[in-house]
Every structure is written in C-alpha cells, then in structure tokens.
C-alpha cells in the first residue's frame, strides 16, 4: 500500500511496538469496550436480532484489532492493510443475501472514538517523555484513521462482490421480511417460498460456534428432516454458522425425536420456538427461536437444545446480567454454592408440581433420596420454595443455564 506519511523515529517505533505487544495480550478487554456500541451504531434491527451474526460481527472486530496491533509490532506507525479473510467474506455474503445493510462507516467511527480514548490512556501511562508521547500519538493517530478508511472501503468492495455473486438472495430476503414482521399476504409467501403456511409451524435455529465445523450443520439438518417423520421442512441458510428451519404440519410438530437426535451432535446447538399457526405462527415461532439462541449465547451456556418456552422467564430476567446475578444470589443465598444435585432435586420437584414421586422418577433416584435433597436445598435457600416457588424455580433454572453467573463480576 502507498505510504502517506513519513516513518517514525526509532524511539517512537520502539514505544509503539512495546505498547502493541502488550495490548495483544489484552484483546478481549479492548474488544469488550467498543464491540457492542459499534454494533448498535450499525443501526440494523435484523443484525441485532440474530445472535449468530452478532458473533460474526464480534469476530470481525477481533480480526480488525489484531491486524492493526500485529502490523504495528512488525512495522510500527505505518499504514496497515485491512484484513478481509475467508470468515469476513462469508459474513459479508450472509449480510448481502439477507438484505442486511449495516452502516460500517458509522460503526467504525464509534469504535475509533472509543479505541482512541483507550489508546491515549495507554500511551500517556507508558510514555513519560512528552516529546516521545507526541511522536507516538502523531503517527498512530494517522495510522488508525487511515486504517478505518481503508477497512470501510474494503468492506464495501466485499459487499459489492457478494451482491454480484449471490443467487439465493431473493428467497432469504423474503424470509427476512416475514420474520421481521413486514406485512405479507399468506398466499404470496406460500408461492414464493413453495411452503404451505395454513398449518402449524415450529421454528428452529441450528448453529455452530466454529465456522470450520460447517459440515456438522448439514448432518444435523438431515437428522432433523429424518426425525420430523415426513413433515414439511423449510431450511434457510441464515449465515455461515447458522441455519433456520421450520417444521410444519396439520398438527403441532412433535420434537421429541428431533431433540433426541440433535443432542447427540456435539458441534451443533439448537434453539426452538413455540408452535404457531399460519403466517403469524411461522413468524412468531422463528422469533422465539432467535430469542432462545441469543439467551444461550448471552449467558455463555453450553446447553445443546433450548426450547424458548422453557427459558422465556430467564430471557426477561437476564437482559441485564448484573441484575440476573443479584436475583440468583438474593433468591438462593447459600444454595448457589451447594452441591449441584441439591439444586437439581429442588428444581425438578417444583417442575413436577411438588410431587416427590414424579421428581424421583425424572431424576432416576429413590423417593427418600429426593426428599432429603429437597429438604436440604430448601433449608439452604434464602427464599423458601413454599413462599415463592416461581422465584426459586427461575433462579435455579438460571443457575443451571449459566453456572458461572454468581461468580461473575457485576458490570
């Protein structure tokens, strides 16, 4: 790339290299400071609603940051080539195919503002010599601004290339419109998607954490189709790491066999919406599944199969993670640190309608064992199950989904 400013002095170059080497060990904290604000600044509800795309945006932020820091270790203070790797290209292709047009320029402006403030603080703390500080800030300011301009241009170019080569854009764009709540005639949706709407639908989101395991998604989709027992299935490629599925039939689809098959695939996770009828059910079940997926990712849960009906209350409670932490601690008290078997016994007991026999059957344990565990768990709990079973069950389920939530530092 053409250099647009003179190289720094040896002293300035050494200071920049030292700073960037150290910050390469702190990338998670740096990304956490600007990733969410820059995502919101892109101003696209469809992007914000899809947890898989949000994760890809986070990966893009990470690659951008590492690219600039690494380049400044190798050639301090010089113009940095934007990084557009295969994962970035796949992400841009997914956005284009779904008609999502995030404002990358605004996102970069927000990220650059936050990042520059952090960089200033690091430089001031590290550079005692005022002349050295001025030299470092002068050259890195030029490098960062130019990197932002070059990166936005590269993303736009990748978007144009994706638009020219995309053949499935019409179908996924239509699905995106329906899922997003746009007015749509049911017969038009049926004709365009070749999928009957006047019946029951259950929406699923299947996703993987590692883009290198994309083959596992195809295996999981085949398993879903097989387990669906001949029901109609509509499958859409939502992103490089996720697929949207609708199972439809004259009766409410039974997902027992689907769940059984999916939980055996270690690489793939699934979120499931509540059943719904006709076009509105098609839409609402999908929105439920997206919300369940976002919850699992937000909490860092390792759960493989998550029906939204099971976690709707937890979703409402955990929009604010620090508030969710307080709720669990205030509700369960010492029970949060107790044996997992005690908490599981109490949760199952509540879910079984306070029926010890049913709880014992579900836990494959003796009735007397379950009674002892329930009694011990209730003694430890700050809020007693007989006083507020809803709060106790919600706190226990939340702790089951995200075991580390009580250990996390409130934000």
């Amino acid at each position: 790339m053409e250099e647009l400013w003179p190289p720094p002095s040896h002293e300035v170059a050494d200071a920049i290299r030292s700073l960037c080497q150290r910050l390469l060990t702190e990338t998670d904290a740096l990304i956490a400071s600007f990733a969410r604000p820059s995502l919101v600044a892109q101003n696209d509800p469809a992007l914000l609603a899809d947890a898989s795309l949000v994760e890809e945006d986070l990966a893009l932020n990470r690659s951008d940051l590492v690219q600039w820091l690494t380049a400044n270790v190798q050639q301090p203070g010089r113009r940095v080539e934007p990084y557009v790797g295969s994962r970035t290209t796949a992400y841009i292709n997914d956005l284009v195919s779904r008609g999502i047009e995030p404002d990358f320029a605004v996102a970069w402006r927000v990220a650059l503002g936050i990042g520059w403030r952090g960089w200033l603080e690091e430089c001031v703390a590290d550079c005692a010599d005022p002349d050295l500080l001025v030299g470092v800030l002068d050259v890195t300011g030029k490098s960062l601004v130019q990197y932002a301009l070059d990166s936005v241009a590269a993303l736009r170019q990748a978007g144009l290339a994706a638009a020219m080569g995309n053949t499935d854009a019409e179908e996924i764009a239509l699905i995106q419109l329906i899922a997003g709540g746009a007015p749509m005639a049911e017969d038009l949706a049926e004709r365009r998607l070749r999928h009957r709407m006047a019946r029951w639908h259950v929406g699923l989101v299947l996703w993987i954490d590692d883009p290198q395991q994309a083959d596992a998604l195809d295996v999981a989709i085949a398993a879903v189709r097989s387990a669906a027992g001949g029901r109609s299935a509509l499958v859409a490629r939502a992103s490089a790491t996720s697929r949207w599925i609708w199972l439809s039939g004259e009766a409410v689809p039974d997902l027992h066999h689907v769940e059984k098959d999916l939980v055996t695939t270690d690489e793939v996770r699934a979120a499931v919406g509540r059943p719904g009828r006709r076009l509105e059910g098609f839409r609402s079940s999908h929105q439920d599944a997206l919300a369940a997926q976002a919850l699992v990712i937000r909490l860092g849960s390792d759960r493989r199969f998550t029906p939204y009906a099971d976690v709707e209350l937890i979703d409402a409670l955990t929009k604010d993670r620090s508030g969710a932490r307080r709720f669990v601690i205030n509700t369960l008290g010492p029970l949060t640190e107790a044996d997992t078997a005690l908490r599981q016994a109490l949760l199952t007991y509540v879910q079984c309608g306070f029926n010890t026999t049913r709880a014992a059957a579900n836990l494959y344990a003796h009735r007397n064992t379950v009674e002892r565990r329930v009694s011990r768990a209730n003694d430890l709990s700050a809020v007693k199950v007989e006083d507020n079973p809803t709060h106790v069950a919600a706190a226990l389920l939340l702790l089951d989904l995200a075991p580390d939530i009580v250990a996390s530092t409130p934000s």
Side-chain angles (χ1 to χ4, degrees):
M1 298 184 74
E2 180 186 0
E3 293 293 351
L4 303 178
W5 56 89
S9 67
H10 290 301
E11 293 80 9
V12 169
D14 287 343
I16 295 171
R17 182 180 291 110
S18 176
L19 267 170
C20 290
Q21 284 174 331
R22 179 167 59 80
L23 292 177
L24 276 169
T25 68
E26 303 172 12
T27 54
D28 286 346
L30 293 172
I31 292 166
S33 68
F34 65 78
R36 185 66 187 178
S38 67
L39 176 67
V40 173
Q42 293 178 56
N43 193 33
D44 197 304
L47 173 58
L48 291 170
D50 191 320
S52 290
L53 292 182
V54 170
E55 288 293 293
E56 291 306 298
D57 185 82
L58 185 64
L60 177 60
N61 280 318
R62 180 174 286 105
S63 65
D64 284 338
L65 176 62
V66 170
Q67 173 77 351
W68 190 84
L69 290 174
T70 302
N72 275 275
V73 170
Q74 297 168 348
Q75 293 183 303
R78 309 310 288 143
R79 188 177 181 183
V80 177
E81 181 84 30
Y83 177 77
V84 183
S86 58
R87 187 168 184 178
T88 303
T89 301
Y91 175 53
I92 299 300
N93 286 338
D94 293 334
L95 295 179
V96 170
S97 70
R98 290 172 55 180
I100 298 175
E101 299 179 356
D103 194 329
F104 288 123
V106 172
W108 258 102
R109 187 158 62 244
V110 170
L112 193 59
I114 297 171
W116 178 247
R117 173 58 185 265
W119 178 252
L120 278 175
E121 293 174 349
E122 296 291 343
C123 290
V124 169
D126 211 59
C127 301
D129 182 348
D131 291 335
L132 178 62
L133 176 62
V134 170
V136 168
L137 293 178
D138 177 49
V139 73
T140 54
K142 293 171 182 174
S143 178
L144 274 169
V145 170
Q146 191 61 46
Y147 184 54
L149 294 172
D150 291 339
S151 295
V152 170
L155 290 171
R156 285 176 175 164
Q157 188 63 37
L160 288 173
M164 293 178 65
N166 196 293
T167 57
D168 300 321
E170 183 177 351
E171 180 181 76
I172 191 65
L174 180 64
I175 290 174
Q176 183 74 46
L177 284 172
I178 296 171
M184 179 75 61
E186 192 172 89
D187 58 347
L188 174 62
E190 285 190 347
R191 288 198 306 272
R192 299 278 291 277
L193 294 177
R194 298 179 297 280
H195 186 79
R196 287 186 58 199
M197 292 293 167
R199 48 186 171 177
W200 285 96
H201 308 279
V202 171
L204 297 90
V205 175
L206 270 56
W207 79 98
I208 51 176
D209 297 317
D210 182 358
Q212 300 301 317
Q213 297 175 332
D215 289 347
L217 279 173
D218 296 330
V219 174
I221 290 168
V224 169
R225 288 184 183 276
S226 175
R231 294 183 183 277
S232 175
L234 175 64
V235 179
R237 184 187 188 280
S239 74
T241 57
S242 67
R243 301 291 184 269
W244 294 346
I245 302 177
W246 286 264
L247 299 179
S248 307
E250 295 301 327
V252 176
D254 182 1
L255 296 186
H256 175 71
H257 295 296
V258 173
E259 178 181 4
K260 184 178 178 181
D261 286 346
L262 284 177
V263 295
T264 62
T265 58
D266 293 335
E267 301 89 353
V268 180
R269 299 199 275 173
V272 185
R274 293 167 296 194
R277 287 201 76 233
R278 308 189 73 92
L279 185 64
E280 181 54 37
F282 181 92
R283 175 185 293 125
S284 64
S285 188
H286 174 64
Q287 290 171 338
D288 283 353
L290 287 176
Q293 180 199 22
L295 168 71
V296 169
I297 292 176
R298 183 169 72 242
L299 295 182
S301 173
D302 60 0
R303 181 165 290 202
R304 317 303 310 172
F305 190 88
T306 308
Y308 187 63
D310 292 352
V311 297
E312 184 175 10
L313 177 59
I314 304 305
D315 185 33
L317 287 171
T318 56
K319 299 297 185 184
D320 169 23
R321 189 177 178 91
S322 61
R325 177 180 183 273
R326 288 194 301 272
F327 171 75
V328 170
I329 292 174
N330 291 340
T331 303
L332 301 182
L335 184 55
T336 60
E337 304 294 336
D339 188 342
T340 304
L342 295 181
R343 296 197 300 269
Q344 189 61 52
L346 185 57
L347 176 60
T348 306
Y349 173 67
V350 176
Q351 291 174 330
C352 289
F354 310 100
N355 186 310
T356 309
T357 301
R358 284 178 55 201
N362 285 358
L363 292 168
Y364 300 102
H366 193 277
R367 189 176 187 277
N368 292 343
T369 301
V370 172
E371 284 183 344
R372 286 195 301 271
R373 289 176 180 173
V374 167
S375 177
R376 177 59 178 155
N378 201 34
D379 287 342
L380 290 172
S381 182
V383 175
K384 306 307 175 188
V385 69
E386 61 270 18
D387 295 331
N388 199 328
T390 302
H391 277 208
V392 171
L396 287 168
L397 182 55
L398 175 49
L399 195 55
D400 183 54
L401 278 166
D404 66 335
I405 197 165
V406 295
S408 62
T409 302
S411 58

